[in-house]
Structure formats: C-alpha cells, structure tokens
Amino acid sequence: MSLTIEQEKQAHRLSVAKSECYAFSMTSAAVLGPVPIEIDDRQPTACTDGKKIYFSSIFAKTLNPLELAGTIIHEALHIML
C-alpha cells in the first residue's frame, strides 16, 4: 500500500514516539521492539490485532507527542495482557 505524504509524516511521528517509549522501561522496549506500527485509515483511532498496532493518520495528527506515546503504550498493554 502506498502512503500519502500526510500518512508518511504521521508514520514518522509514530516511529519517533515509539522510540521515545523505550526510555520508559526495559519492559516497554522489550514489548514494543518487535511490534510494527502501521498507518491504517480504515479505522478511526488506534487499535491492535495482538501482532501490530494500527493508527489512523487523521487521529495521529490530532495528538501531541506525549499523547502519541501514551496511545502506543496503551495499545502495547493490550498485547502484553
């Protein structure tokens, strides 16, 4: 799937936020490391299927960096638990 420029921008922001989550704890780094985050505008916010985390680029655009990190950790907790 080819991404639009805006989707690419949000994918980059998510990648940076994911990297910043590693600093929270060794556990977050261990859990998040292998989990890909993908842009998927077919759903309205963020979700996981237990293997990947999906974000709507429209939703990601509305979040500041701390909110992005928090949402990534929220979805990672679904995978962990």
Side-chain angles (χ1 to χ4, degrees):
M1 176 174 95
S2 180
L3 298 178
T4 67
I5 292 171
E6 183 59 36
Q7 289 172 325
E8 288 283 350
K9 181 179 177 182
Q10 297 311 316
H12 176 73
R13 288 182 69 230
L14 287 163
S15 177
V16 169
K18 179 182 176 184
S19 295
E20 291 173 352
C21 289
Y22 297 161
F24 293 140
S25 72
M26 293 290 283
T27 304
S28 63
V31 171
L32 279 173
V35 177
I37 298 177
E38 294 187 4
I39 295 293
D40 183 350
D41 288 337
R42 293 176 294 175
Q43 46 80 42
T45 57
C47 64
T48 183
D49 62 2
K51 297 175 186 165
K52 296 179 183 179
I53 295 173
Y54 302 94
F55 265 85
S56 161
S57 65
I58 298 161
F59 175 66
K61 186 176 180 177
T62 68
L63 302 178
N64 67 43
L66 185 59
E67 292 168 329
L68 276 178
T71 305
I72 290 169
I73 290 172
H74 171 93
E75 295 303 329
L77 286 170
H78 285 300
I79 295 169
M80 287 173 46
L81 302 173

